Amino acid sequence: MTNKSQRTHSAILMIACPDQTGLIAAVTHFIRENGGNIIHLEQYVDGESSHFFMRLEWDLQGFNLPMDQFEKCFQESIAAQFDMSYQLYASDERPRLAIFVSKYSHCLFDILSRYQAGEWQVDIPLIISNHPDLEVVAKNVGIDFYLFKINKENKREQEEKQLRLLKSHKIDSIVLARYMQILSDDFVRHYPQQIINIHHSFLPAFSGAKPYNAAYDRGVKIIGATSHYVTAELDAGPIIEQDVVRVSHTDTVEDFIRKGRDLEKVVLSRAIWHHMKRKILVFKNRTIVFV
Amino acid sequence: MTNKSQRTHSAILMIACPDQTGLIAAVTHFIRENGGNIIHLEQYVDGESSHFFMRLEWDLQGFNLPMDQFEKCFQESIAAQFDMSYQLYASDERPRLAIFVSKYSHCLFDILSRYQAGEWQVDIPLIISNHPDLEVVAKNVGIDFYLFKINKENKREQEEKQLRLLKSHKIDSIVLARYMQILSDDFVRHYPQQIINIHHSFLPAFSGAKPYNAAYDRGVKIIGATSHYVTAELDAGPIIEQDVVRVSHTDTVEDFIRKGRDLEKVVLSRAIWHHMKRKILVFKNRTIVFV
Amino acid sequence: MTNKSQRTHSAILMIACPDQTGLIAAVTHFIRENGGNIIHLEQYVDGESSHFFMRLEWDLQGFNLPMDQFEKCFQESIAAQFDMSYQLYASDERPRLAIFVSKYSHCLFDILSRYQAGEWQVDIPLIISNHPDLEVVAKNVGIDFYLFKINKENKREQEEKQLRLLKSHKIDSIVLARYMQILSDDFVRHYPQQIINIHHSFLPAFSGAKPYNAAYDRGVKIIGATSHYVTAELDAGPIIEQDVVRVSHTDTVEDFIRKGRDLEKVVLSRAIWHHMKRKILVFKNRTIVFV
Amino acid sequence: MTNKSQRTHSAILMIACPDQTGLIAAVTHFIRENGGNIIHLEQYVDGESSHFFMRLEWDLQGFNLPMDQFEKCFQESIAAQFDMSYQLYASDERPRLAIFVSKYSHCLFDILSRYQAGEWQVDIPLIISNHPDLEVVAKNVGIDFYLFKINKENKREQEEKQLRLLKSHKIDSIVLARYMQILSDDFVRHYPQQIINIHHSFLPAFSGAKPYNAAYDRGVKIIGATSHYVTAELDAGPIIEQDVVRVSHTDTVEDFIRKGRDLEKVVLSRAIWHHMKRKILVFKNRTIVFV
């Protein structure tokens, strides 16, 4: 075992199943038998439903089961017996992200500054927008920019084009970086638990449009931002990360918006981090984030 | 002028009026003329409504206008001309508080520990409850405890008795320290902007009953507590203070409740502090807290 | 396995050893073999030193190894082979705490309010002080209060008396709730990693006396409080918990002290919670807190 | 008077003087007499030294004293009598900033993203660095980039060249955006209270080099970042803004650095905001920030 800062070539296994005696022993024994050294093990049991969740990461050096045989072997030895669902990842796979934007630039700038600095092990082959405003930003960093103007009439057609484009670029996950357009249920269904949104309020307070105005009118003393997976219901998907900042009576709506921008970009980027590091499981509209 | 830590005998004037040129000059000149040395001046203008608010505190040493003549004189010289409403307080007046409780003890213990330690310059002549559980706590510190069991049939009658009791003790303000009983509009009308409640959520999220359960079900990553003035509409009065604490998927509803207790007591006590220090003005369901 | 909110009769095993392949598999297999159902498993590897740490909690229902035979059996089967040190606890054992105080009451009140409300599963048979001031508080809740006035001449002798008193009451852990007297190294050696202190600053900033004055003079914008295990070196032991609150230029030293009190009591109580729940391991002057 | 969100053409007066009776009345009367409508008034008295500070902002519409005559007139009527020092600013003057960087890009990216989005009313005519790495970033946004490689031998000479360059560009203030080179006292003297640094720790803890390593070794549970004015003594200048984020035993030094980057950029940008909005006065190595 070793610490998480070392950049080893490792495998990550995310497991969910009904809780049963002997689960951890069985899985860790399987890894051990095949020469794997466990780097991280985090588990969680949902008390109400008796559902078990585990994230396991092990060093692939010395692991004598080839990755392309792992799933078959694990399925037969362990998963079938315990009725497990699971996903396997290699730690050095780079997730492929598409960024959706409209007119606000702060979240996009923040994402791109991390991308350019090499802070994130991801590929961002394209940026999609419903407005031309941020094309110049995409150009500056050499990322393809695609404009899809959307109205009631063309929405279905435009989304289909977007989906074809995403598929052709082998996009794994989509980041809505203040994208001011609601995705249709059909679209969302293509990327379950793979579309990350940032909402500019402390959800569930102030869902929907103009949350800073609503927060101002209510006279709150703290504002927030919420990053969540997109589901069919607006602003109601599983929350990944939230954070807050103090405001006072001296802050106008414009001050709320200004302070909120700093929250939004940091909260969204933290959510992307956990997602790309394969730290998140979803159960009953709640996230399990193994930090 | 002097700093706020010195315990001088001072006067506090809270002003509200339509915004006009020359307001601050006129009021400060009036204080100056009468030999007053201003210790604190805070002002705020609501941009939308052009309403002006000011809190002024001045040293009474050398002030040659007796307090009992102040209002008449200020009214004629200044307030009438600017269409002001105002309240005058002496800094060494001790507000008289009644504490309302039910079964939860953490907020009551917190208030009493400050009271016993002399942290607050208030008098607490009585504790009112709809349950007998906390009588022993009141007894231990020598504060009178009054039990008013309340049901649908006797609510009106019991509240009238409570009001008579409060009046007979010259109570200025009421603190609902996790009092699990909704006050009638009639009752609330007797103490406008003088009843402070603590709600165990980050309002406006999770108003009403069982907010920790609702927060758990929604899968939030941060929980909060909110102190506000009580108005006719439940959990909708002007917010005085809020604070939050992080939670994670490992926290059960019981953990939310445990972590929340520490928030509730601190948030409520901060709100009481601002209220007793005459720092709060209310405008359009928002508080102006001059900290 | 089950969630942590259920009050089962369970066992807790805290393990430390050099990191090796197969550790988790071996330990979980041992529990499984003996009929134990794991409720919680948290592990951590210190990357620099390749040291492994684990906290394991399992349901004792159905576990067929009696607790009094566990250590011998575990030692022979597992611990010897992996060069482990470990501690075993029963979750329903109530730790026995002694509280040390001087003149400040806020931390003591906070501890006692939780104790009285049944929030903590501990016994507090005695309070020790070097000043008589808080005797009345102890009396009110029916806890024995022992006064040990301490000066340079009698310190050694008084500490020996204190130690005898603590031993006679079978005290497991000591809480210094703003105890304004430095314990001798000899004293500390009797309770390694069992004495919890609260320091009224964000350590390592402002160690030693009068931290709020020092913080004020430095013009910080945030103040903090730190709870740590006591070691021979003053304010330098392993940190368990810290928290902070904002201050501004309008806050005087008295305001720092007032705001700080609320931090101190909450930070100390959180540290006691983790300690009593057997969540803490210490390694190289750092704490591993399995929350 | 009006609220701060409206972009009026206004004047800002920052005043410091010994505390005296009648100060506020005299100044506000002067503004009133000349037809000025006060938008904001904030004042503070340092209790220990009896020093008075005020920030006054008034609408220039209807103000009948031309700005170029203000100082003479105010000096004679008010300032001389009260022994005041003061600075006058027009709210629509755009401060001219130079950014100093080395190799880390996160603070620079953050500043430039705000600059490009028009969030800040400043001009940034040049970026200065001791390393060529970030030249491409400057180029992308069309800001001149000047490389000054510095070693012990050429430091004095290079700083003189930098100063000439800054003067020729009429630079008002300098932002050290993770500039890894200590400025000489001579250099600092040219820009008193005009050089803003970001230090990657919660000062005064962990001043100097490698603060995240030091914080890790000390086992802190919270890390911070501090923005301050640069003075002759390293990391000891007046603090403008601080913020913190939680860490745990699972975070490596690399995680501290990653989490810290997000703090650093936000804390630095908040400090620049207050500075450019003329909200800051310095007294006795403490800042008065009128937010």
Side-chain angles (χ1 to χ4, degrees):
Chain A
M1 299 172 200
T2 182
N3 82 320
K4 70 180 174 186
S5 72
Q6 291 176 288
R7 306 278 167 236
T8 67
H9 183 43
S10 58
I12 297 161
L13 189 64
M14 302 289 268
I15 293 172
C17 65
D19 192 20
Q20 298 145 79
T21 299
L23 269 169
I24 301 175
V27 176
T28 56
H29 186 70
F30 177 85
I31 301 299
R32 168 85 183 89
E33 256 184 348
N34 289 288
N37 186 17
I38 294 170
I39 302 171
H40 286 295
L41 182 158
E42 282 121 357
Q43 59 89 40
Y44 167 70
V45 178
D46 180 70
E48 287 168 39
S49 66
S50 286
H51 230 76
F52 172 84
F53 304 91
M54 187 159 69
R55 182 187 190 277
L56 200 69
E57 186 170 353
W58 67 96
D59 195 342
L60 286 172
Q61 183 145 28
F63 192 64
N64 44 41
L65 189 60
M67 279 296 94
D68 56 2
Q69 295 169 33
F70 180 91
E71 304 214 10
K72 180 170 185 298
C73 194
F74 183 73
Q75 178 62 35
E76 285 168 10
S77 316
I78 309 283
Q81 166 190 359
F82 289 104
D83 195 18
M84 280 179 187
S85 65
Y86 60 92
Q87 296 124 33
L88 180 72
Y89 303 100
S91 68
D92 53 6
E93 263 176 273
R94 295 170 70 91
R96 293 174 65 79
L97 307 184
I99 315 295
F100 279 49
V101 296
S102 292
K103 293 180 166 181
Y104 295 116
S105 62
H106 55 286
C107 288
L108 178 62
F109 273 127
D110 194 66
I111 289 167
L112 295 180
S113 75
R114 295 168 201 270
Y115 187 53
Q116 287 179 273
E119 185 180 328
W120 287 351
Q121 305 306 309
V122 298
D123 289 321
I124 303 181
L126 78 166
I127 293 170
I128 285 176
S129 184
N130 55 343
H131 290 283
D133 307 47
L134 298 177
E135 178 160 15
V136 60
V137 178
K139 286 263 164 75
N140 266 344
V141 295
I143 297 179
D144 289 345
F145 180 92
Y146 296 89
L147 177 62
F148 292 88
K149 292 195 181 177
I150 291 180
N151 53 42
K152 275 189 192 165
E153 286 66 40
N154 74 359
K155 181 160 186 165
R156 188 192 182 97
E157 186 189 351
Q158 290 291 69
E159 285 197 344
E160 279 168 8
K161 283 186 195 164
Q162 288 177 342
L163 284 167
R164 280 196 295 274
L165 182 65
L166 296 168
K167 299 293 175 194
S168 77
H169 279 86
K170 297 189 188 342
I171 293 301
D172 298 307
S173 305
I174 295 167
V175 174
L176 307 184
R178 296 299 310 274
Y179 181 61
M180 308 304 272
Q181 178 73 35
I182 296 172
L183 302 176
S184 73
D185 293 4
D186 270 351
F187 188 102
V188 171
R189 244 189 301 275
H190 283 84
Y191 288 93
Q193 294 165 24
Q194 295 292 348
I195 309 177
I196 300 175
N197 186 41
I198 179 72
H199 184 74
H200 40 315
S201 84
F202 186 81
L203 287 176
F206 313 122
S207 61
K210 297 214 169 255
Y212 291 126
N213 289 272
Y216 180 85
D217 289 341
R218 181 61 188 91
V220 296
K221 298 300 184 186
I222 289 176
I223 55 171
T226 305
S227 188
H228 63 93
Y229 286 123
V230 175
T231 57
E233 192 184 344
L234 183 67
D235 297 333
I239 293 171
I240 304 169
E241 170 68 351
Q242 301 186 291
D243 213 342
V244 297
V245 69
R246 286 205 167 263
V247 291
S248 82
H249 68 273
T250 67
D251 288 306
T252 61
V253 173
E254 286 73 27
D255 293 319
F256 278 36
I257 291 170
R258 174 176 56 83
K259 290 183 169 185
R261 275 195 297 259
D262 283 1
L263 276 182
E264 293 163 29
K265 70 188 188 189
V266 169
V267 168
L268 177 58
S269 287
R270 281 188 207 146
I272 298 171
W273 173 266
H274 295 318
H275 180 81
M276 81 173 71
K277 288 288 178 184
R278 320 298 191 183
K279 300 270 194 180
I280 310 176
L281 281 163
V282 173
F283 182 65
K284 282 181 170 180
N285 210 41
R286 300 171 65 231
T287 60
I288 299 156
V289 185
F290 287 125
V291 275
Chain B
M1 299 172 200
T2 183
N3 83 319
K4 71 180 172 187
S5 72
Q6 290 175 289
R7 305 282 166 231
T8 67
H9 183 42
S10 58
I12 298 162
L13 188 64
M14 303 290 269
I15 292 173
C17 64
D19 193 20
Q20 299 145 78
T21 299
L23 269 170
I24 300 175
V27 176
T28 56
H29 186 69
F30 177 85
I31 302 298
R32 169 83 183 90
E33 258 185 345
N34 289 288
N37 186 16
I38 294 171
I39 302 170
H40 287 295
L41 182 158
E42 283 120 358
Q43 59 90 40
Y44 168 70
V45 178
D46 180 70
E48 287 169 39
S49 65
S50 286
H51 230 75
F52 172 84
F53 304 90
M54 187 159 69
R55 182 188 190 276
L56 201 68
E57 185 170 353
W58 67 95
D59 195 341
L60 286 173
Q61 182 145 30
F63 192 63
N64 44 42
L65 189 60
M67 279 296 94
D68 54 2
Q69 296 168 31
F70 180 91
E71 302 214 11
K72 179 170 186 301
C73 193
F74 183 72
Q75 179 63 34
E76 285 167 11
S77 317
I78 308 282
Q81 167 191 358
F82 289 104
D83 195 17
M84 279 178 188
S85 64
Y86 60 91
Q87 295 123 32
L88 179 73
Y89 304 99
S91 68
D92 53 6
E93 262 175 275
R94 295 171 71 91
R96 293 174 66 79
L97 307 184
I99 315 295
F100 280 48
V101 296
S102 292
K103 293 180 167 181
Y104 295 116
S105 61
H106 54 287
C107 288
L108 178 62
F109 272 127
D110 194 65
I111 289 167
L112 294 181
S113 74
R114 294 168 202 270
Y115 186 54
Q116 287 180 273
E119 186 179 328
W120 287 351
Q121 305 306 308
V122 298
D123 289 321
I124 302 181
L126 78 167
I127 294 170
I128 285 177
S129 184
N130 56 343
H131 290 283
D133 307 47
L134 298 176
E135 178 161 15
V136 60
V137 178
K139 286 263 165 75
N140 265 345
V141 294
I143 297 179
D144 289 346
F145 180 91
Y146 296 89
L147 178 62
F148 290 88
K149 293 198 183 175
I150 290 180
N151 53 42
K152 275 189 192 164
E153 286 67 38
N154 73 358
K155 182 161 185 164
R156 187 191 184 97
E157 185 190 351
Q158 291 290 68
E159 285 198 343
E160 279 168 8
K161 282 186 195 164
Q162 288 176 342
L163 284 167
R164 280 196 295 275
L165 183 64
L166 295 168
K167 300 293 176 195
S168 78
H169 280 86
K170 297 187 186 348
I171 293 302
D172 299 307
S173 305
I174 295 168
V175 175
L176 308 184
R178 296 298 310 274
Y179 181 61
M180 308 305 271
Q181 178 73 33
I182 296 172
L183 300 176
S184 73
D185 294 3
D186 271 351
F187 187 102
V188 171
R189 245 189 300 276
H190 282 83
Y191 289 93
Q193 294 165 25
Q194 295 292 347
I195 308 176
I196 300 174
N197 185 41
I198 179 72
H199 183 74
H200 41 314
S201 85
F202 187 80
L203 287 177
F206 313 122
S207 61
K210 297 215 169 251
Y212 291 126
N213 290 272
Y216 180 85
D217 289 341
R218 180 62 189 92
V220 296
K221 298 300 184 186
I222 288 176
I223 55 170
T226 304
S227 188
H228 63 94
Y229 285 124
V230 175
T231 56
E233 193 183 342
L234 184 67
D235 296 334
I239 293 171
I240 303 170
E241 170 68 352
Q242 300 187 290
D243 212 342
V244 298
V245 70
R246 287 206 166 262
V247 292
S248 82
H249 68 274
T250 66
D251 288 305
T252 61
V253 173
E254 286 73 29
D255 293 319
F256 278 35
I257 292 170
R258 174 176 55 83
K259 291 183 169 186
R261 275 194 297 258
D262 282 1
L263 276 181
E264 293 162 30
K265 69 187 188 190
V266 169
V267 168
L268 177 57
S269 287
R270 282 189 206 144
I272 298 171
W273 173 266
H274 295 318
H275 179 81
M276 81 172 73
K277 288 288 178 183
R278 320 299 191 180
K279 299 270 193 179
I280 310 177
L281 280 163
V282 173
F283 182 65
K284 282 182 169 180
N285 211 40
R286 301 170 66 230
T287 60
I288 299 157
V289 185
F290 287 125
V291 274
Chain C
M1 300 170 200
T2 183
N3 83 321
K4 70 182 175 186
S5 71
Q6 292 175 284
R7 307 277 168 236
T8 66
H9 183 43
S10 59
I12 298 162
L13 188 65
M14 302 289 269
I15 293 172
C17 65
D19 191 21
Q20 298 145 78
T21 299
L23 269 170
I24 301 174
V27 176
T28 56
H29 187 69
F30 178 85
I31 301 299
R32 168 85 184 88
E33 257 184 347
N34 288 287
N37 185 17
I38 294 171
I39 302 171
H40 286 295
L41 183 158
E42 282 121 357
Q43 58 90 39
Y44 168 71
V45 179
D46 180 71
E48 287 168 39
S49 65
S50 286
H51 229 76
F52 172 85
F53 304 90
M54 189 159 70
R55 182 187 189 276
L56 202 69
E57 185 170 353
W58 68 95
D59 195 341
L60 286 173
Q61 181 145 28
F63 193 64
N64 44 42
L65 190 60
M67 278 297 95
D68 56 0
Q69 294 168 35
F70 180 91
E71 303 215 9
K72 181 170 183 299
C73 193
F74 183 73
Q75 178 63 34
E76 285 169 10
S77 316
I78 308 281
Q81 167 192 356
F82 289 104
D83 196 18
M84 280 178 187
S85 65
Y86 60 92
Q87 295 124 32
L88 180 72
Y89 304 99
S91 67
D92 53 6
E93 264 175 89
R94 294 170 70 91
R96 293 175 65 79
L97 307 184
I99 315 295
F100 279 49
V101 296
S102 292
K103 294 180 168 181
Y104 295 117
S105 61
H106 54 288
C107 288
L108 179 62
F109 273 127
D110 194 65
I111 290 167
L112 295 180
S113 74
R114 294 168 200 271
Y115 186 53
Q116 286 179 273
E119 185 179 329
W120 286 352
Q121 305 305 309
V122 298
D123 289 320
I124 303 181
L126 78 166
I127 294 170
I128 285 176
S129 183
N130 56 343
H131 291 283
D133 307 46
L134 298 176
E135 180 161 14
V136 61
V137 178
K139 286 264 164 75
N140 265 344
V141 294
I143 298 179
D144 289 345
F145 180 90
Y146 296 89
L147 178 63
F148 291 89
K149 293 195 180 175
I150 289 179
N151 54 42
K152 273 187 192 164
E153 286 67 40
N154 74 358
K155 180 161 186 165
R156 187 193 183 96
E157 187 189 349
Q158 291 290 67
E159 286 197 344
E160 279 168 7
K161 283 185 194 163
Q162 288 177 342
L163 284 167
R164 279 196 297 274
L165 183 65
L166 296 168
K167 300 293 177 194
S168 79
H169 280 87
K170 298 188 185 348
I171 293 300
D172 299 306
S173 305
I174 296 167
V175 175
L176 307 184
R178 297 297 309 275
Y179 181 60
M180 308 305 272
Q181 178 72 35
I182 296 171
L183 301 176
S184 74
D185 294 4
D186 271 352
F187 188 102
V188 171
R189 244 190 301 274
H190 283 84
Y191 289 93
Q193 295 164 24
Q194 295 292 347
I195 308 176
I196 299 174
N197 186 40
I198 179 71
H199 183 74
H200 40 313
S201 84
F202 187 81
L203 287 177
F206 313 122
S207 60
K210 297 214 168 253
Y212 290 126
N213 290 271
Y216 180 86
D217 290 341
R218 182 60 188 92
V220 296
K221 298 299 184 187
I222 289 175
I223 56 170
T226 304
S227 188
H228 63 93
Y229 286 124
V230 175
T231 57
E233 192 184 342
L234 183 66
D235 298 333
I239 293 170
I240 303 170
E241 170 68 351
Q242 300 188 291
D243 212 341
V244 297
V245 69
R246 287 206 167 261
V247 291
S248 82
H249 67 273
T250 65
D251 288 306
T252 61
V253 173
E254 286 72 28
D255 293 319
F256 279 36
I257 292 169
R258 174 175 57 84
K259 291 184 169 185
R261 274 195 297 258
D262 282 0
L263 276 181
E264 293 163 30
K265 69 187 188 190
V266 169
V267 168
L268 177 58
S269 287
R270 282 188 206 145
I272 297 171
W273 173 265
H274 295 318
H275 179 81
M276 82 173 70
K277 289 286 177 184
R278 321 298 191 183
K279 299 270 193 179
I280 310 176
L281 281 163
V282 173
F283 182 63
K284 283 180 168 183
N285 209 42
R286 301 171 65 231
T287 60
I288 298 157
V289 185
F290 287 125
V291 275
Chain D
M1 300 170 198
T2 183
N3 83 321
K4 71 183 176 187
S5 72
Q6 291 175 287
R7 305 278 168 236
T8 67
H9 183 43
S10 58
I12 298 161
L13 188 64
M14 302 288 269
I15 293 172
C17 64
D19 191 20
Q20 298 145 78
T21 298
L23 269 169
I24 300 175
V27 176
T28 55
H29 187 69
F30 177 85
I31 300 299
R32 168 83 183 90
E33 258 186 345
N34 289 286
N37 186 18
I38 294 171
I39 302 171
H40 286 295
L41 182 158
E42 282 122 357
Q43 59 90 39
Y44 168 70
V45 178
D46 180 71
E48 286 169 40
S49 66
S50 286
H51 229 75
F52 172 85
F53 304 91
M54 189 160 68
R55 182 187 189 276
L56 201 68
E57 186 170 351
W58 67 97
D59 196 341
L60 286 173
Q61 181 145 27
F63 192 64
N64 44 41
L65 189 61
M67 279 296 94
D68 55 2
Q69 295 169 33
F70 180 91
E71 302 214 11
K72 181 170 183 298
C73 194
F74 183 72
Q75 178 63 35
E76 285 168 10
S77 317
I78 308 282
Q81 166 191 357
F82 289 104
D83 196 18
M84 281 180 186
S85 64
Y86 61 92
Q87 295 124 33
L88 180 72
Y89 303 99
S91 68
D92 53 5
E93 263 175 90
R94 293 170 70 90
R96 293 174 65 78
L97 307 184
I99 315 295
F100 280 49
V101 296
S102 291
K103 293 179 167 182
Y104 295 116
S105 61
H106 54 287
C107 288
L108 179 61
F109 273 127
D110 193 65
I111 290 167
L112 294 180
S113 74
R114 295 168 201 270
Y115 187 53
Q116 287 179 273
E119 185 179 328
W120 287 351
Q121 305 307 309
V122 298
D123 289 320
I124 303 181
L126 79 165
I127 293 170
I128 285 177
S129 182
N130 56 343
H131 291 283
D133 307 47
L134 298 177
E135 179 161 15
V136 61
V137 178
K139 286 264 165 75
N140 266 345
V141 293
I143 297 179
D144 289 345
F145 180 91
Y146 296 90
L147 178 62
F148 291 89
K149 292 196 180 176
I150 290 179
N151 54 43
K152 274 188 193 165
E153 286 68 38
N154 74 357
K155 180 161 187 166
R156 187 192 183 97
E157 187 189 347
Q158 291 290 68
E159 286 198 342
E160 280 168 7
K161 284 185 193 164
Q162 289 176 341
L163 284 167
R164 281 196 296 273
L165 183 65
L166 295 169
K167 301 292 177 194
S168 78
H169 279 86
K170 297 189 188 346
I171 293 301
D172 299 307
S173 305
I174 296 167
V175 175
L176 307 184
R178 295 298 310 272
Y179 181 60
M180 309 305 272
Q181 179 73 34
I182 296 171
L183 301 176
S184 73
D185 294 3
D186 272 351
F187 188 101
V188 171
R189 245 189 301 275
H190 283 82
Y191 288 93
Q193 294 165 24
Q194 295 292 347
I195 308 176
I196 299 175
N197 185 41
I198 179 71
H199 183 73
H200 41 314
S201 84
F202 187 79
L203 287 177
F206 312 122
S207 61
K210 296 214 168 252
Y212 291 126
N213 289 271
Y216 180 85
D217 289 342
R218 181 59 189 92
V220 296
K221 298 300 184 188
I222 287 175
I223 56 170
T226 304
S227 188
H228 62 94
Y229 285 124
V230 174
T231 56
E233 192 183 342
L234 183 66
D235 297 334
I239 293 170
I240 303 169
E241 170 68 351
Q242 301 188 292
D243 212 342
V244 297
V245 69
R246 286 206 166 262
V247 292
S248 82
H249 68 273
T250 67
D251 288 305
T252 61
V253 173
E254 286 73 28
D255 292 319
F256 279 35
I257 292 170
R258 174 175 57 82
K259 291 184 170 185
R261 275 195 297 259
D262 282 0
L263 276 182
E264 293 162 30
K265 69 187 187 190
V266 169
V267 168
L268 177 57
S269 287
R270 281 188 208 147
I272 297 171
W273 173 265
H274 295 318
H275 180 81
M276 81 173 71
K277 289 288 177 183
R278 320 300 190 181
K279 299 271 194 179
I280 310 176
L281 281 163
V282 173
F283 182 64
K284 282 181 168 182
N285 210 41
R286 302 170 65 230
T287 60
I288 298 156
V289 184
F290 287 125
V291 273

